[in-house]
Amino acid sequence: MCVLRLRSVPEWVRPPLRAVSGTEEFQLWVFGRTRAPQALGSWSALSWLSTTDEVQSPGLLVRRNSPTEVAAWAEMVVADEVADGGAYPPTSWWTEHRIEVPDRLDREEWAKRVGSLYERHYAHGVHVALAWLTGSVDDPALMVPIRDGDGEFILQATRDEYRSVLRKLSAPLPGTATPRPGRSLEHRR
């Protein structure tokens, strides 16, 4: 895994750099400890923000390279559908979500992803992290995985500990401005 230090966040990212950077590092730690695909998906979405012209990324699920707002929303809606195990979307769905033809998953890749529980948990992690970054959800604790890499449930006490850490990482520092207002899922449509 290539780990780049996050130095800034795009203007569309709602949480401050401090919260995103700390959460990214913590998600990588959680993945190292649990091997949970959801933690890997969340970490991947957060580390994707480090992509630059010099350092390219294959994207998370669709094939966009740069972490733009449009790309984030596209990744988020695809990840949500994959996580839910949905059927391959019709052309109108891809068009509605402004996902260009070269960036769309083909039917075979879609079937492979939705047919794998690991990939579906990974996609859920991507979805939740991007929802937090875009302000669609306010609680970063939703990134806490339920199952480890072997598919076993992570103990509730451990999950509660992870939730607490994620909430502390994203809490505003005393005397700082409140985070930028988020946008609803309707913004994307």
Side-chain angles (χ1 to χ4, degrees), residues 31 35-38 40 113 116-123 149:
F31 176 70
R35 308 313 283 176
Q38 182 178 339
L40 179 60
R113 289 184 185 267
S116 165
L117 198 52
Y118 189 95
E119 289 285 338
R120 289 177 59 192
H121 282 270
Y122 172 87

Side-chain angles (χ1 to χ4, degrees), residues 48-64:
W48 177 59
L49 297 177
S50 297
T51 302
T52 64
D53 290 337
E54 296 82 37
V55 179
Q56 291 297 305
S57 166
L60 302 166
L61 295 171
V62 297
R63 295 174 181 89
R64 296 181 189 268

Side-chain angles (χ1 to χ4, degrees), residues 38-115:
Q38 182 178 339
L40 179 60
S42 291
W43 174 79
S44 295
L46 297 169
S47 70
W48 177 59
L49 297 177
S50 297
T51 302
T52 64
D53 290 337
E54 296 82 37
V55 179
Q56 291 297 305
S57 166
L60 302 166
L61 295 171
V62 297
R63 295 174 181 89
R64 296 181 189 268
N65 287 328
S66 301
T68 64
E69 185 174 13
V70 170
W73 282 97
E75 293 280 3
M76 187 168 59
V77 297
V78 170
D80 191 35
E81 289 296 313
V82 169
D84 285 345
Y88 189 78
T91 301
S92 60
W93 183 88
W94 296 98
T95 303
E96 175 186 340
H97 294 291
R98 297 189 300 179
I99 302 171
E100 301 297 323
V101 173
D103 297 323
R104 297 175 187 174
L105 298 176
D106 61 35
R107 287 182 184 276
E108 185 177 315
E109 187 174 358
W110 184 276
K112 184 176 96 180
R113 289 184 185 267
V114 300

Side-chain angles (χ1 to χ4, degrees), residues 152-168:
E152 300 295 322
F153 283 105
I154 297 171
L155 295 175
Q156 185 65 42
T158 302
R159 293 178 63 230
D160 290 344
E161 178 186 326
Y162 294 168
R163 283 188 192 97
S164 177
V165 170
L166 285 170
R167 288 179 178 136
K168 285 177 186 173

Side-chain angles (χ1 to χ4, degrees), residues 1-7 21 24-25 43 47 50-52 55-56:
M1 263 183 246
C2 177
V3 179
L4 297 174
R5 192 91 176 131
L6 191 60
R7 298 186 198 289
S21 180
E24 175 194 11
E25 289 179 23
W43 174 79
S47 70
S50 297
T51 302
T52 64
V55 179
Q56 291 297 305

